[in-house]
Structures are given as structure tokens and as C-alpha cells.
Amino acid sequence: MMARSEIAGALLLCAGIAFFALLPGYVGGYGLSMAINFLMFAILATAWALFSGPTGYVSLATVAFFGIGAYSMAVLGETLPWAAVIAISATIAFVIALLVGLSTLRLRGVYFVIFSFGLAELIRQLVNWYESTHAGSVGRYVFLDISQQQIVWQLTAVLALVLIVGWLIGRSRVGFALRMIGDDETVALHCGINITLIKVMVFALSATFMAVVGAILAPRWTYLDPSIAFNPNISFQVLIMALLGGARRLYGPILGVIPMVLLFEYLSANFPHLFSVLLGITFLAIVYLVPNGVAGLYDTYRRKWRERGVAQPAREGSA
């Protein structure tokens, strides 16, 4: 049986889907652009939190898989059906994440962070090398008959799917195992949990969603090169949003996406040359002021409120 909080979450999800499904009929180009930004980061941050939230593995490889999806669409979009390219990009990201996860998820802490950042840079340099030596140019034009309205609808469907998958994982033994891995990996291993299998599979699933988002968004740019598809700012922005909202709750990353999309839009429009500096300051402020995110603050407040409610009748009884 579903709890009241889960029923409320399901109703909010249905309301959100209806909102974004109807939105293209009521807003102009700028409104659609903002909706695409929100949906893009909501999916990326939620997908990031599927793995990194419960386990505590901080990954900066988001843009690696996002770029794989975007470049797959740029290369294959004019020769294969849309759905086939989406499936191919998801498969490529899934396989690469499996291979990378099998060889690197034994790393922890700063070593995994550095490796994930290096992975994104390595893939960007490989694509750059291939394009310059074999394709004859650094970038590619993406001329596909996909409108912004269609992108909004497709991203809405993917967001609903990633939230449902996250909810199912959280209620399953896999979710319990992930949380145990995050608390103490050694204890999880001694309890008989196949930690390698679970970490690799959830990491690959997370990467698949990221690649799908990249593939859907590729037509938005018209022209795509490795510096756009593999822009490291995307990984940092996703990390900041997930941490602000609270990565250990399914709805947490979305709480961080809403204010951060607006803030990044303002900063990029008014301070384009200082954007990276302000991004770093924002990251430091979030880590220092709200280390557990908005969702963590809410949980703390709710726990204190319940403790106060229990303590009050006890004091009255003793009096």
C-alpha cells in the first residue's frame, strides 16, 4: 500500500506532466527555452542522484554521457529514424558506463571524483581527434525537423520515467543495498550484498538517462562540436543543483533545479565572462551553508517538530 507522501508525490508528478504537456500552447520561444532548460537539468540531476545520492560517489562524468547522446544524434540523426538514434545513444552510454564502472567503481572519495572528471575530458578529446582527423571538420550541423515543442514533450516523458524508475529503485532491495553501500561499504559486503554488480548496474542506468537527454537536445543547437556537447560546466551545474536540493531524496534534485536554472540564466545573461567564477562561488556557498540540501533541512525541521510534539505531553503529564 502506498503511503500518503507517495500518493502526494504521484499526484504532483501527474500535475507536472499535464503542465509541461500543455505549456507549449501558452508560451513563446523564451518560455519554451526555459522549460527545456528546467526539464534537461531536472532529468540530469535526478539521474545523477540515482547513483551518487545514496552511495556518496560524487561523479563529474555527467557531461561524458550527455555528450555521447548529443553526438550520436549529430552523426546518425540524418540517416536513421529518430527513435533508433535514441536507442543507439542509450546503448552506447550503457555499455561504456558498464565498462568504466567495472574498472573504476572500486575507487572512492577524491580518486573517483578525479577519474570521472578525467573520463569526460578523455571522451571529449577522443571525439575531437576523430572529427579533425577522419571527418575533416571539428563540428557538425544538426538539421532535423524537431521543434522545441516536441523537445519539451519528449523531455517531459523522460522526466516522468526517471522519477518512476527512481521511486521503484528506492522501494526495492537494490535501493536498500545502495543506501547500505553509502553508509558503510564494508558492512554491505559482509552482509552478502554484491556491491560491484549493484553499483555498476545503477551507474549504467544513470548514464543511459543522461545520454537520452543529450540525444533529444542535439537538434536545439543546430551546430554541435565537442566543446558544446562535452562542456564541463554541465557536470558542475548538475552537481550544484543536486546538492542544493538534496541528493538523498528522489524529489531533492528538482528542488535545486528550479532556483539554479533561474540563477544561471541571470548570470549567463548579465555576467558571461564571470560565469565560471560565480559558478564556483555558488558551489562553495551551497556546500558550506546547506550541506544536506533543502530536502535535508526539511527532514531536520520535521524531526524536531515531531520530537517537540512528543516531549510536550510528557512535560504536561509530569507537571
Side-chain angles (χ1 to χ4, degrees):
M1 180 178 293
M2 295 176 66
R4 283 188 297 178
S5 61
E6 293 174 329
I7 294 173
L11 292 175
L12 283 175
L13 176 61
C14 293
I17 293 173
F19 173 77
F20 283 108
L22 298 174
L23 186 67
Y26 296 94
V27 298
Y30 181 75
L32 287 175
S33 177
M34 290 298 294
I36 290 172
N37 284 342
F38 170 79
L39 290 167
M40 163 189 159
F41 282 114
I43 299 168
L44 292 177
T46 304
W48 182 89
L50 282 183
F51 171 74
S52 296
T55 63
Y57 281 74
V58 177
S59 170
L60 290 177
T62 301
V63 76
F65 304 111
F66 176 86
I68 287 172
Y71 238 86
S72 299
M73 184 59 70
V75 175
L76 303 172
E78 295 184 6
T79 56
L80 293 176
W82 175 260
V85 181
I86 297 287
I88 290 172
S89 64
T91 304
I92 293 173
F94 186 82
V95 172
I96 291 178
L98 277 182
L99 298 175
V100 170
L102 284 171
S103 58
T104 64
L105 282 176
R106 296 173 183 172
L107 301 174
R108 283 196 64 90
V110 69
Y111 300 103
F112 182 76
V113 177
I114 294 172
F115 177 85
S116 61
F117 183 77
L119 172 67
E121 186 63 17
L122 174 64
I123 294 177
R124 183 173 78 89
Q125 294 298 335
L126 286 175
V127 173
N128 207 7
W129 168 80
Y130 179 84
E131 290 290 74
S132 59
T133 57
H134 296 280
S137 66
V138 176
R140 292 172 180 268
Y141 289 98
V142 187
F143 294 127
L144 298 174
D145 188 20
I146 303 294
S147 65
Q148 290 201 90
Q149 291 90 335
Q150 291 171 312
I151 292 176
V152 169
W153 291 328
Q154 291 173 18
L155 291 178
T156 301
V158 177
L159 177 59
L161 181 61
V162 73
L163 287 172
I164 292 171
V165 169
W167 178 72
L168 291 174
I169 289 177
R171 290 170 58 93
S172 68
R173 292 184 178 181
V174 174
F176 177 75
L178 286 171
R179 292 189 289 274
M180 184 174 282
I181 291 170
D183 292 337
D184 193 320
E185 198 163 321
T186 304
V187 172
L189 182 63
H190 286 302
C191 288
I193 295 174
N194 190 337
I195 60 175
T196 301
L197 176 65
I198 289 176
K199 286 192 297 184
V200 170
M201 292 306 295
V202 178
F203 181 67
L205 179 64
S206 169
T208 302
F209 280 110
M210 295 170 183
V212 169
V213 174
I216 291 174
L217 280 173
R220 187 189 189 197
W221 286 294
T222 305
Y223 177 81
L224 202 62
D225 64 32
S227 65
I228 299 173
F230 298 94
N231 185 345
N233 279 346
I234 294 176
S235 291
F236 288 107
Q237 287 173 288
V238 169
L239 174 62
I240 290 171
M241 292 170 180
L243 292 181
L244 175 62
R248 294 181 71 88
R249 291 285 185 181
L250 180 60
Y251 61 84
I254 295 179
L255 296 179
V257 167
I258 297 171
M260 285 294 104
V261 165
L262 297 175
L263 176 63
F264 292 151
E265 179 73 12
Y266 175 80
L267 294 179
S268 60
N270 294 279
F271 307 99
H273 302 296
L274 296 174
F275 182 79
S276 296
V277 176
L278 296 172
L279 187 68
I281 294 173
T282 304
F283 176 73
L284 293 175
I286 289 172
V287 171
Y288 182 75
L289 297 174
V290 281
N292 295 319
V294 176
L297 286 177
Y298 171 72
D299 289 341
T300 302
Y301 173 78
R302 189 174 61 172
R303 185 176 64 253
K304 289 182 177 178
W305 185 79
R306 285 179 175 175
E307 291 173 354
R308 192 178 305 162
V310 171
Q312 184 69 22
R315 283 197 297 269
E316 292 175 355
S318 61

